[in-house]
Amino acid sequence: MSELMSSIDQRTKLVGENRLELLMFKLGSRHTFALNVFKIREVITVPLMSQMPGSHQNLKGVTNYRGASIPVIDLRAAVKITANEDTYEAVNVIITEYNRSVQGFLIGDVMRIINTSWSDIQPPPSTAGKNNYLTAITQVEIDDKNELVEIIDVEKVLSEIIEYDTTISEDVLDQEVAAHLKGKKILIVDDSSTARWQIRETLTQLGIEIIEEKDGLKALNLLKSWADAGKTVTDEIMMMFTDAEMPAMDGYRLTAEVRQDPRMNNLFIALNTSLSGSFNDAMVEKVGCNRFISKFQPDLLVDVVQQRMREILDPES
């Protein structure tokens, strides 16, 4: 298993090129599931775990991982798979980093890693309903047959175990600046309904109106439609928050496309992603984002919005 994951650090070059790699695995059903390799630290066999009485039903326990205690979540139970329970055995744990935290996900057999393009990743079909646990789907050739692979919405899984507080700290609010935010519009672009909800719940407290898109390509088409109609994009929205990883077009490519279009290249763009670390700092500089924040930090969301409003109020500052 270590050989399978040993080259993850060499794969980061794919991010920012509208490409990604997916680790495919099973959860005891006919479906094949996947997570983005860039969110994965390691895959290990099921470790010893300590139970936590009174904890969430999907939390199987905690384990020691490289000197730190981390939670281990039953991913099968979390996404509500119930078929074939008698034959399923959880044999691996995927160690991931999301939203500045490390956690393990209990899974079945690991299949393989595939290299693909975000343009080949599609949103879940509308027939999946609003309560599904997927951010996207894709088709992969397995044993000479095209198979549907379902990419799990980890942020939704975590939000049902960890309660995210959207309260804004009083000492963060600049009342003079905040007074100008009421009625302003902001575009948020994220494939996770949970992530969009978190931003919406935070910023609507300031009277801000939210426009939502589920992927980078839809967002780019919306921006271009305004420009094609002769509208000034920065009159339509004061700024845009975008996730990094999304179907059809990732946030890095979206930002680069905006910067290359003279009709909208002055749009304020903040990258808001569950990815963290110095890599994102480099990518922000490379593609031209104005700010980078890791999810989910309501006070930082407000800080970014207030920064943008100060620039609007005093463009010479």
Side-chain angles (χ1 to χ4, degrees):
M1 189 61 61
S2 60
E3 292 181 4
L4 178 67
M5 302 305 297
S6 64
S7 62
I8 286 179
D9 288 341
Q10 301 172 12
R11 302 172 187 269
T12 59
K13 63 182 181 296
L14 296 175
V15 183
E17 302 299 329
N18 213 46
R19 298 194 66 80
L20 76 159
E21 290 191 328
L22 296 171
L23 176 67
M24 302 191 304
F25 54 89
K26 290 291 188 177
L27 291 175
S29 70
R30 63 183 179 82
H31 300 273
T32 298
F33 297 92
L35 293 178
N36 191 333
V37 166
F38 201 62
K39 301 282 186 67
I40 299 172
R41 287 191 172 189
E42 194 174 356
V43 177
I44 61 175
T45 55
V46 177
L48 293 175
M49 290 181 281
S50 300
Q51 302 300 312
M52 297 181 63
S55 62
H56 191 279
Q57 60 184 357
N58 295 334
L59 184 61
K60 303 308 290 183
V62 296
T63 190
N64 184 284
Y65 173 72
R66 301 189 182 277
S69 294
I70 66 168
V72 177
I73 297 162
D74 185 342
L75 191 55
R76 173 191 170 92
V79 300
K80 297 180 171 52
I81 294 175
T82 58
N84 302 327
E85 289 184 351
D86 293 338
T87 59
Y88 173 68
E89 181 181 4
V91 292
N92 294 296
V93 170
I94 299 179
I95 307 297
T96 69
E97 182 175 358
Y98 281 83
N99 299 356
R100 297 167 294 118
S101 66
V102 177
Q103 54 279 312
F105 289 105
L106 203 61
I107 63 165
D109 292 327
V110 170
M111 299 175 68
R112 61 187 173 95
I113 290 175
I114 60 164
N115 181 321
T116 187
S117 168
W118 278 112
S119 61
D120 295 326
I121 307 295
Q122 301 300 320
S126 57
T127 53
K130 293 183 178 180
N131 295 321
N132 72 80
Y133 289 83
L134 306 178
T135 58
I137 59 174
T138 191
Q139 293 279 344
V140 174
E141 187 174 307
I142 300 176
D143 297 330
D144 297 323
K145 294 188 295 184
N146 280 334
E147 185 167 333
L148 185 70
V149 176
E150 303 177 356
I151 303 171
I152 293 176
D153 186 347
V154 173
E155 290 168 5
K156 181 173 181 177
V157 170
L158 293 177
S159 72
E160 295 183 353
I161 299 173
I162 304 167
E163 185 175 349
Y164 290 105
D165 186 2
T166 60
T167 304
I168 302 168
S169 303
E170 288 188 13
D171 57 355
V172 171
L173 275 179
D174 183 330
Q175 297 295 344
E176 183 177 344
V177 173
H180 293 275
L181 293 172
K182 188 173 183 179
K184 297 296 184 183
K185 295 180 180 180
I186 289 177
L187 175 61
I188 57 175
V189 191
D190 202 301
D191 59 340
S192 170
S193 59
T194 297
R196 296 195 306 274
W197 175 86
Q198 290 169 338
I199 301 176
R200 184 173 65 249
E201 287 296 301
T202 301
L203 298 184
T204 52
Q205 296 176 63
L206 305 177
I208 293 171
E209 297 180 21
I210 301 298
I211 302 171
E212 300 181 30
E213 291 293 353
K214 297 179 181 179
D215 65 64
L217 184 58
K218 286 187 175 68
L220 182 62
N221 288 338
L222 175 63
L223 297 172
K224 285 186 173 181
S225 72
W226 289 335
D228 291 343
K231 298 177 180 179
T232 301
V233 169
T234 51
D235 289 341
E236 298 299 312
I237 52 173
M238 64 176 287
M239 63 170 294
M240 174 172 71
F241 283 103
T242 180
D243 189 18
E245 304 169 283
M246 297 176 289
M249 179 181 290
D250 66 26
Y252 304 112
R253 175 62 63 85
L254 169 61
T255 301
E257 293 286 341
V258 170
R259 293 295 179 240
Q260 292 169 14
D261 191 326
R263 302 174 299 173
M264 62 180 81
N265 60 9
N266 60 340
L267 179 64
F268 188 102
I269 302 174
L271 190 70
N272 181 52
T273 174
S274 55
L275 292 170
S276 58
S278 58
F279 168 79
N280 261 311
D281 295 331
M283 285 304 304
V284 165
E285 182 176 351
K286 176 181 177 181
V287 302
C289 289
N290 298 92
R291 284 284 296 270
F292 159 70
I293 58 174
S294 56
K295 299 175 181 176
F296 165 64
Q297 302 181 79
D299 284 351
L300 274 182
L301 288 171
V302 173
D303 179 64
V304 171
V305 170
Q306 291 183 152
Q307 173 194 341
R308 175 55 181 153
M309 179 51 67
R310 291 187 186 100
E311 294 178 0
I312 293 172
L313 295 172
D314 187 6
E316 301 300 323
S317 63

